[in-house]
Amino acid sequence: MTTKDTNGAEWITFGPYVLFPGPRALKRDGKSVRIRDKPLDLLIALVESPGDILSASELAERVWRREWVEESTVRATVYALRRLLGRTSEGEDYVRNTVGRGYGFSDSIRIERSAPDPKVDRQSAAPATVRAPGRLPPLLKPVIGREREILKVIDLLGRNRLVTITGLGGIGKTTVAISSASRLLETEPEACFVDLALVKEERLVPASVAGALGSERPAECPSSYVLGRLSDRRLLLVFDNCEQVADMAAAFAEAILREAPHVKMIVTSREPLRADGEVVFRLDGLTYPPQDTDIRAEDALAFSAVQLFVDRASAASPEFVLTDALAPMVARICRRLDGIALAVQLAANRVPSFGVRGVEARLDDRFRLLGNGQRTAAPRHQTLEGALDWSYELLTPPESALFTRLATFHDTFTIAAAAEVAGLPPIGKSDIEALLAKLVEKSLVVFVGDTPIPTYRMLETVRAYARERLRTAGEDAAVVERHACLASESSE
Ligand SMILES: Nc1ncnc2c1ncn2[C@@H]1O[C@H](COP(=O)(O)OP(=O)(O)OP(=O)(O)O)[C@@H](O)[C@H]1O
Ligand SMILES: [Mg+2]
């Protein structure tokens, strides 16, 4: 194995392959291999550091640079490259996938390269080899709606240094954060994006931030490295998908705000960090038409969830057109999916198989219907159920017990009603209020508003999920019975 980079190398061999970075060509056993631009750039980036593991966002930065790209596209490109290269004679993949961390070129494959040409200007070498850690990931598809929310985030960040965008899984937090940050780059000198979705251990948060800031090797004390690098820098820092490492993200964000007076931060998380100085912006679903309207296509298209549905349905089946006949159905689908961007998108993808009417008819079994999204999406975005599993798995046992039992409420409920129905072991009735507040924080229950008695509700999709969980826990009958007693008492 060699650690020299490809800059200036005329050729690089591995197995039966010869890669020519300059003329951008690949040969196998002396014959040219047809390879598209992005897989080629990806190969160059990977061969540059055999044995290292590069996260999807690092690869996106190196390969796509200024374009918007989703993690799913990186995955798809890696997959295409692996298929193209095939396996070594020992049956090994050239490109390894280390689950939860990223991709790397196998370090057990012998790589040889020509000596670098001293005439090559290293700064102007192949673009794919330029390291640009922390660059904002490009969004591959246009962002629909969200203008008001983006302006709100920008406004909040004008007056505060830490804004956390919270909301249910798949509702669109990352999309709004990236859009706001790229808009802010019109005035801010630079931004650094840290995707924490794959970071499962709290202690690894500082190292991930250090990596995004360009630390080549794991620093001995990544926190000090980061704080040192940021102390006098004017920077917009984006921490994306923090909920599973919220404690460390909060502590680290506080330290950054303290030590680096010119840094501003946008955080996305399904629950607030509860950090000092944090302002929380709760993101709702995309907009959808009001109930029971016989809406025309033109009017329905004023709502962003409908626009997203139509956009994705047309991409999945080019002949799709939103007619006046279809508009009320699409409006109902968007409403029943509470405008959750991921759900609307998954539903639109099913139009070629079932038609709009068929999709609506299958919404009662929504987790089966919305169970096969893009193979290349992040695991928690491949299915609607996966998006909610991610939140469910982060609940404590009493929180998950309350969460599933609340599924028996079809509409709004009060704290007293929740205690009546759900206050059985492992939950004491006196715990309900605090647990309910936790579920609101975690975006699984909605606080309806400051009515004389506080009321709560679940979004239809969340409720359907909780119901399934209640059934699997075998508690369905008992809780439904308690709910029925409550209903009959209150009607007496
Ligand atoms: N306004 C929008 N326009 C177009 N697509 C959108 C929009 N909002 C979200 N999406 C799409 O919906 C999916 C989910 O969005 P996103 O990743 O932003 O959700 P999230 O709230 O960050 O989810 P998670 O909690 O799982 O991190 C993505 O595929 C994204 O591209
Ligand atoms: Mg996200």
Side-chain angles (χ1 to χ4, degrees), residues 5 120 135 181 228 412 427 445:
D5 66 18
V120 172
R135 194 183 286 274
T412 56
I427 313 175
V445 169

Side-chain angles (χ1 to χ4, degrees), residues 213 221-233 252 256 259-260:
L213 282 171
C221 180
S223 320
S224 315
Y225 171 88
V226 170
L227 297 176
R229 286 288 305 270
L230 296 182
S231 63
D232 55 0
R233 203 148 146 197
F252 203 40
I256 291 172
E259 309 277 324

Side-chain angles (χ1 to χ4, degrees), residues 53 75 78 82 93 95-104:
I53 296 172
R75 254 181 252 276
V78 172
R82 285 171 90 168
D93 276 320
V95 179
R96 284 183 181 164
N97 175 8
T98 306
V99 177
R101 292 185 59 205
Y103 308 94

Side-chain angles (χ1 to χ4, degrees), residues 116-271:
D117 179 345
K119 292 195 290 295
V120 172
D121 172 1
R122 297 175 79 79
Q123 293 303 317
S124 62
T129 64
V130 176
R131 187 176 158 78
R135 194 183 286 274
L136 282 182
L139 290 174
L140 199 63
K141 297 181 190 127
V143 174
I144 291 171
R146 295 304 197 195
E147 188 57 24
R148 196 183 60 79
E149 289 85 349
I150 293 167
L151 291 177
K152 182 75 189 167
V153 171
I154 293 173
D155 176 53
L156 287 173
L157 212 58
R159 291 177 282 130
N160 308 275
R161 292 178 51 217
L162 168 58
V163 175
T164 301
I165 304 173
T166 64
L168 186 67
I171 206 142
K173 300 178 291 296
T174 297
T175 308
V176 169
I178 295 174
S179 309
S180 310
S182 33
R183 196 83 65 87
L184 277 161
L185 273 183
E186 288 163 15
T187 49
E188 292 294 322
E190 49 175 348
C192 176
F193 183 89
V194 192
D195 182 2
L196 293 167
L198 298 178
V199 178
K200 298 283 182 286
E201 288 179 54
E202 304 258 0
R203 68 184 175 84
L204 298 177
V205 170
S208 304
V209 183
L213 282 171
S215 160
E216 293 286 342
R217 296 271 160 251
E220 248 174 42
C221 180
S223 320
S224 315
Y225 171 88
V226 170
L227 297 176
R229 286 288 305 270
L230 296 182
S231 63
D232 55 0
R233 203 148 146 197
R234 189 167 154 205
L235 180 81
L236 174 63
L237 195 52
V238 183
F239 279 8
D240 192 33
N241 303 314
C242 290
E243 55 279 337
Q244 78 289 1
V245 286
D247 288 342
M248 181 54 117
F252 203 40
E254 278 183 12
I256 291 172
L257 294 186
R258 222 176 17 244
E259 309 277 324
H262 309 297
V263 170
K264 291 190 170 194
M265 297 182 67
I266 299 179
V267 169
T268 79
S269 172
R270 293 187 185 182
E271 63 177 302

Side-chain angles (χ1 to χ4, degrees), residues 20 114 116 169 182 190 194 214 228 277 279 335 349 376 404 432 443 445 454:
F20 299 90
S114 64
S182 33
E190 49 175 348
V194 192
V279 177
R335 190 168 54 243
N349 287 345
T376 50
T404 53
I432 295 280
S443 314
V445 169

